[in-house]
């Protein structure tokens, strides 16, 4: 049976657990629990952590952006709690290195999947909340937020990359971008879609995600970034 280096993880996150069993539960994937007949995995803590993350970020955004209305605050929060953002937060503390996975999941690099990482990050927040209380988990989460997204309001400009690319393509070429699904890999329960996008026949971006729509959004974001780079180079900036 694999053993997670929980003392090292506690040093990485700067939190010493009163009950280390909570931390172990937070890093235990359901595949590992099934393989070793454990009576626990991190799904219950993920359920709790989802609510914990939501309320902390809601309160933070409410007090930080007093000039924004409910609609924009909701959009920012949605962007911060989506799978991509939570997986990025997890990677910032190398959480994937400490996850306990079943053999099949480990061999297919499950600890690098956005879905697995985002779930584990929520479970970790749930464990910190139970062990250390609301103030400590809030400090932990907001410190990670500051390191990875110093000004969340900037997310308002990138929440709909497909729509922005659509507008660009229609304005400049009179036709919509073309999205192509190149491959679908991974296990049936956790597929990975690879998508490319062409604008006026030019390949401008690739995207990978667990859902086709998310992969298309990722490809659109890459295309918009490529367009911005080109415009900057052409302007001599």
């Amino acid at each position: 049976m694999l053993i997670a280096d929980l003392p090292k993880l506690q040093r990485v996150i700067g939190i010493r657990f009163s009950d280390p069993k909570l931390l172990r539960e937070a890093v235990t994937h359901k595949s590992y629990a099934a393989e070793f007949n454990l009576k626990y995995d991190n799904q219950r803590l993920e359920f709790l952590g989802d609510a914990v993350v939501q309320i902390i970020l809601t309160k933070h955004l409410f007090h930080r952006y007093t000039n924004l209305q409910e609609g924009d605050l909701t959009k920012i929060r949605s962007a911060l709690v989506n799978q991509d953002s939570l997986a990025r937060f997890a990677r910032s503390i190398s959480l994937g290195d400490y996850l306990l996975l079943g053999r099949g999941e480990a061999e297919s690099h499950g600890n690098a999947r956005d879905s697995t990482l985002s779930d584990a990050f929520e479970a970790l927040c749930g464990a910190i909340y139970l062990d250390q209380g609301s103030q400590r988990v809030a400090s932990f989460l907001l410190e990670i937020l500051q390191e990875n997204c110093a000004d969340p309001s900037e997310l308002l400009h990138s929440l709909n990359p497909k729509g922005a690319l659509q507008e660009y393509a229609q304005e400049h070429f009179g036709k919509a971008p073309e999205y192509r699904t190149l491959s679908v890999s991974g296990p049936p329960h956790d597929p990975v879609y690879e998508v490319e996008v062409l604008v006026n026949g030019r390949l401008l971006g690739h995207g990978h995600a667990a859902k086709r729509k998310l992969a298309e959004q990722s490809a659109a974001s890459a295309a918009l970034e490529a367009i911005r780079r080109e415009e900057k180079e052409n302007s001599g900036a």
Side-chain angles (χ1 to χ4, degrees):
M1 180 182 293
L2 296 175
I3 303 297
D5 191 348
L6 299 186
K8 183 177 180 180
L9 177 55
Q10 290 178 93
R11 292 194 296 272
V12 169
I13 64 177
I15 296 174
R16 183 180 180 85
F17 272 70
S18 298
D19 183 2
K21 292 192 296 294
L22 282 170
L23 181 57
R24 181 176 178 82
E25 183 177 333
V27 300
T28 301
H29 189 263
K30 59 184 178 181
S31 62
Y32 185 89
E35 189 169 313
F36 292 100
N37 297 313
L38 302 179
K39 295 182 180 180
Y40 63 86
D41 57 39
N42 65 6
Q43 291 183 300
R44 282 174 53 83
L45 283 174
E46 174 201 340
F47 166 76
L48 174 62
D50 174 74
V52 170
V53 170
Q54 289 268 355
I55 189 61
I56 291 171
L57 292 178
T58 298
K59 182 179 179 181
H60 175 70
L61 296 174
F62 177 83
H63 288 296
R64 179 168 181 177
Y65 299 112
T66 56
N67 60 317
L68 294 182
Q69 296 300 310
E70 179 266 347
D72 284 340
L73 291 172
T74 298
K75 291 177 183 178
I76 297 172
R77 183 183 62 190
S78 295
L80 290 175
V81 300
N82 68 22
Q83 181 174 284
D84 290 346
S85 294
L86 294 178
R88 185 167 72 253
F89 296 163
R91 289 190 177 94
S92 72
I93 56 172
S94 302
L95 185 56
D97 294 346
Y98 304 94
L99 298 184
L100 294 172
L101 305 172
R103 183 177 300 175
E105 281 293 311
E107 291 177 350
S108 61
H109 304 290
N111 66 339
R113 289 197 193 100
D114 283 359
S115 57
T116 301
L117 287 170
S118 62
D119 290 350
F121 185 80
E122 288 180 329
L124 176 61
C125 288
I128 297 171
Y129 172 78
L130 290 178
D131 192 77
Q132 302 281 316
S134 58
Q135 290 187 346
R136 187 65 187 92
V137 69
S139 297
F140 165 76
L141 177 58
L142 295 179
E143 182 178 340
I144 288 179
L145 177 65
Q146 177 63 30
E147 292 173 354
N148 290 273
C149 186
D151 185 0
S153 67
E154 293 180 353
L155 294 170
L156 287 173
H157 305 300
S158 59
L159 289 176
N160 185 14
K162 287 186 67 177
L165 187 63
Q166 173 91 6
E167 292 179 7
Y168 174 88
Q170 290 287 0
E171 178 182 349
H172 289 80
F173 307 110
K175 55 184 178 182
E178 178 186 356
Y179 295 90
R180 296 176 180 173
T181 300
L182 300 178
S183 66
V184 182
S185 58
H189 68 279
D190 194 11
V192 176
Y193 289 85
E194 180 184 4
V195 170
E196 66 179 13
V197 61
L198 294 85
V199 177
N200 196 35
R202 289 183 60 209
L203 175 61
L204 288 183
H206 282 89
H208 301 79
K211 295 181 180 180
R212 181 180 290 107
K213 288 185 178 180
L214 293 178
E216 289 178 353
Q217 290 179 8
S218 178
S221 293
L224 289 169
E225 181 60 30
I227 290 168
R228 283 192 287 267
R229 286 198 303 268
E230 285 187 359
E231 291 180 342
K232 186 175 181 179
E233 292 171 358
N234 292 337
S235 66

